Amino acid sequence: MKLPRLAATLPLALGACAVLATFSTPVAAQTVRWAAAGDALTMDPHSQNEGPTHVMNHQVYDSLVFRDQDMKLAPRLATSWRITDDPSVWEFKLREGVKYHNGNPFTADDVVFSIMRAKHENSDMKGLLTSVVEVVKVDDHTVRMRTDGPNPLLPNNLTNLFIMDREWAEENKVTLPQNYKAGDETFAVRNANGTGPFRLAKREPDVRTELERNEDYWGKGTFPMEVSKVVFTPVRSAATRVAALLSGEVDFLLDPPVQDLERLSAAKGLVVRSGPENRTIFLGMQQALPELRSSDVKGKNPFADKRVREAMNIAINREAVKRVVMRGQSVPAGIVAPPFIDGYDKAMDVVPATDVARAKALLAEAGYPNGFSVTLACPNDRYVNDEAICQAVTGMFGQIGVRARLSAQPKSIHFAELPKGEYDLYMLGWGVPTMDSHYVFHYLFETKTDKGGSWNFTGYSKPRVDELISAMTREVDPGSRAGMVAEVWKTVQDDVVYLPIHHQMLNWAMKDNIDFPVQSENYPYFKLLKFKK
């Protein structure tokens, strides 16, 4: 994960004039100028399973299926899909007459290539395809995928799985995904050739990205396609982003600061649209190492003791975070999964009461009557008020004697270091594009191997949990599968693997001549944006 880290070199707060200059290019009436705190990590569609990266790639590439504004599975490059007579084989019928931006025709060969590319060890998308053992072209517009047993949820796993042009990839020597952790810089990092509604016209990571409407898009006539050009500028400073919108230099703000929502809503010519987001914010703890790397405790790991994890859990005052940091724009959480998903149980999403005295007693029982020190790693441009949340939480930990040193960094650094497994305590946010609990289990709780647990940096490992996670992908009886899901949730909740903070609320701020309802995945599909007449 070592792209040129321009974000790391930018000052945390840029002067408004300097940043607003990037928006000053004269634009046509159908241009949308868009700003957000952080940029996509890469344009390689299979390299990183990360929200802002998917947001950008969704404009340029297409997946076989996607989630519409109502979060329902909808056709994209696949027009239909079904389980064949063999319950382990899914068949996808592909859209005909589709062309890539360079004019190459879209065929089944590209789907076979893309699925296998996304299964490569370099790909952060491989965890969605662990059950896929074979991809076969039946004809130019039919593909069959065989899984290692029945997998009724396979289409759910494909909503962010983008299809690349095999010929283009071969010509540009990008048949393998970018190895982000190793710092690969490939042609696919700054260039793209998709079938999506917009062409990539200009890409300067962490500076500016320009997209131009694909006049040959297969969806013209189906989607509004009123936007002719999209200009994206990442601006880490919240005050500068707001100033850009208020001054008219920006048309759309993906992540308006919660402290400015009232001002933006009241501003003439602007509107704020809100809704629940498919994302939960939480903290992870390294529980498996014999000794933490950033702690003053030597010879043992405080987080390995469940009593310490319980103490930290009840030290967090989630209502205070909601009220003071989030200005009411969050839902305190007791579980690391949003309410949208299959398998979510409201009875488990109980927010633990804050109890400083009990937390101190638990620490003393665990052998830490004077607490201990540890570093909390946090992004400062990824989630809503992420650094402010971490600042608040460090204070809460301090009340029970856990001296957490905050290390807040741009997401380009945070998510480069996180996969190395070197953080003892860290912030992470998790959305669930499959809308199923298995996605949470497979990435966050399954034992970390080359087949699963790719975002489990806690060291948590339990054979029974792994067994159930594997079995539920092949279980076709709804009742039996629901029982498996419930057992895993109960186990991991009892084990206090993570420290949930809140379910994130979603706000988009924009000029009032724009008709653009929020989408719970926080994915703005600009092909759906309409201008009010």
Side-chain angles (χ1 to χ4, degrees):
M1 221 187 236
K2 292 181 181 175
L3 291 174
R5 293 199 180 123
L6 300 178
T9 63
L10 292 174
L12 292 180
L14 299 175
C17 292
V19 175
L20 293 182
T22 64
F23 300 106
S24 62
T25 303
V27 291
Q30 289 183 305
T31 292
V32 169
R33 298 161 299 178
W34 161 39
D39 199 358
L41 297 172
T42 176
M43 289 304 298
D44 187 314
H46 304 141
S47 176
Q48 290 296 291
N49 187 10
E50 190 251 1
T53 301
H54 291 329
V55 166
M56 190 64 72
N57 278 316
H58 268 295
Q59 317 306 325
V60 177
Y61 289 97
D62 282 319
S63 48
L64 292 177
V65 299
F66 81 113
R67 292 205 177 271
D68 61 18
Q69 293 296 100
D70 298 319
M71 299 298 287
K72 303 295 185 185
L73 278 183
R76 210 171 187 184
L77 288 180
T79 55
S80 64
W81 48 95
R82 69 181 183 94
I83 297 175
T84 65
D85 293 339
D86 182 339
S88 296
V89 176
W90 277 88
E91 182 177 271
F92 295 82
K93 290 293 186 180
L94 307 180
R95 194 175 299 277
E96 299 185 24
V98 176
K99 292 187 177 183
Y100 287 95
H101 298 157
N102 68 354
N104 287 349
F106 160 68
T107 71
D109 292 322
D110 302 314
V111 176
V112 174
F113 164 76
S114 296
I115 298 298
M116 297 310 297
R117 186 181 192 268
K119 282 177 64 66
H120 188 270
E121 62 180 359
N122 290 355
S123 171
D124 197 27
M125 305 302 294
K126 60 182 179 293
L128 292 163
L129 301 170
T130 53
S131 68
V132 177
V133 296
E134 185 181 38
V135 188
V136 177
K137 170 185 175 181
V138 177
D139 57 44
D140 277 351
H141 296 98
T142 308
V143 167
R144 288 185 174 179
M145 299 186 200
R146 178 178 296 278
T147 54
D148 58 356
N151 184 352
L153 294 176
L154 180 62
N156 297 46
N157 289 5
L158 303 178
T159 57
N160 291 322
L161 207 293
F162 301 105
I163 305 303
M164 292 182 76
D165 177 7
R166 185 187 70 173
E167 183 179 341
W168 180 84
E170 291 172 347
E171 288 175 355
N172 293 289
K173 299 179 174 57
V174 288
T175 55
L176 299 183
Q178 170 203 17
N179 186 334
Y180 202 95
K181 288 188 290 186
D184 277 3
E185 177 72 27
T186 73
F187 189 76
V189 170
R190 298 169 185 255
N191 299 274
N193 179 42
T195 58
F198 296 92
R199 304 170 187 266
L200 180 62
K202 182 179 182 181
R203 174 69 177 162
E204 296 178 65
D206 295 308
V207 178
R208 184 183 181 95
T209 300
E210 296 182 9
L211 308 173
E212 296 177 351
R213 184 168 58 202
N214 175 15
E215 301 297 344
D216 297 321
Y217 183 51
W218 59 265
K220 288 189 72 173
T222 301
F223 305 107
M225 295 291 292
E226 292 186 12
V227 178
S228 57
K229 184 175 182 179
V230 178
V231 178
F232 172 69
T233 306
V235 183
R236 191 177 308 148
S237 166
T240 304
R241 292 199 306 278
V242 170
L245 184 63
L246 288 169
S247 69
E249 301 294 333
V250 171
D251 305 305
F252 172 71
L253 194 55
L254 184 66
D255 47 7
V258 293
Q259 59 269 26
D260 291 302
L261 291 177
E262 187 174 342
R263 179 160 66 119
L264 291 172
S265 297
K268 184 178 180 181
L270 298 181
V271 63
V272 175
R273 296 193 171 95
S274 305
E277 184 175 357
N278 179 11
R279 186 171 307 281
T280 304
I281 306 299
F282 54 92
L283 302 182
M285 301 160 284
Q286 170 51 253
Q287 303 157 35
L289 289 179
E291 180 180 299
L292 295 178
R293 288 148 296 201
S294 65
S295 177
D296 56 0
V297 175
K298 302 305 176 186
K300 57 180 179 178
N301 179 349
F303 294 151
D305 193 313
K306 178 181 172 182
R307 291 169 295 186
V308 172
R309 303 195 299 272
E310 288 178 336
M312 296 182 69
N313 202 31
I314 61 176
I316 301 173
N317 188 331
R318 294 159 176 85
E319 285 294 337
V321 172
K322 173 184 177 179
R323 184 179 66 256
V324 179
V325 180
M326 301 302 293
R327 311 292 178 97
Q329 294 293 309
S330 66
V331 178
I335 193 172
V336 296
F340 299 91
I341 70 170
D342 288 338
Y344 170 87
D345 186 349
K346 189 175 182 179
M348 289 190 184
D349 195 6
V350 176
V351 178
T354 306
D355 192 335
V356 171
R358 174 60 180 156
K360 288 180 176 179
L362 284 169
L363 285 179
E365 289 176 21
Y368 306 99
N370 299 316
F372 57 90
S373 64
V374 68
T375 297
L376 168 59
C378 182
N380 59 20
D381 60 357
R382 174 59 186 97
Y383 311 114
V384 179
N385 278 4
D386 40 19
E387 183 175 4
I389 294 167
C390 289
Q391 288 172 339
V393 169
T394 57
M396 295 168 187
F397 290 155
Q399 290 182 326
I400 67 170
V402 175
R403 299 173 295 279
R405 299 177 299 269
L406 177 58
S407 174
Q409 303 180 94
K411 70 169 189 166
S412 58
I413 297 177
H414 183 77
F415 290 109
E417 298 300 319
L418 189 56
K420 297 177 182 177
E422 296 181 357
Y423 289 153
D424 293 330
L425 179 63
Y426 58 89
M427 171 182 272
L428 186 61
W430 203 249
V432 188
T434 66
M435 306 300 287
D436 188 86
S437 289
H438 175 265
Y439 185 86
V440 184
F441 300 154
H442 178 57
Y443 278 98
L444 298 179
F445 294 101
E446 191 172 326
T447 300
K448 189 172 179 61
T449 66
D450 59 351
K451 294 185 178 180
S454 61
W455 285 78
N456 177 3
F457 308 115
T458 69
Y460 180 76
S461 177
K462 186 161 280 190
R464 175 60 177 167
V465 168
D466 291 345
E467 175 188 338
L468 289 168
I469 293 172
S470 177
M472 68 180 64
T473 63
R474 297 183 294 275
E475 181 55 65
V476 294
D477 179 73
S480 297
R481 189 178 189 276
M484 295 175 181
V485 170
E487 182 178 342
V488 172
W489 273 125
K490 184 178 187 312
T491 301
V492 299
Q493 286 292 97
D494 289 345
D495 288 341
V496 195
V497 182
Y498 295 99
L499 306 178
I501 298 177
H502 57 236
H503 305 304
Q504 196 163 270
M505 293 294 290
L506 180 60
N507 297 285
W508 290 357
M510 63 197 80
K511 291 184 176 179
D512 62 5
N513 69 327
I514 291 176
D515 179 8
F516 206 18
V518 300
Q519 199 254 17
S520 291
E521 284 186 294
N522 206 16
Y523 287 0
Y525 292 110
F526 287 100
K527 67 181 180 182
L528 301 179
L529 184 150
K530 294 187 288 187
F531 294 95
K532 294 180 180 179
K533 304 298 189 285

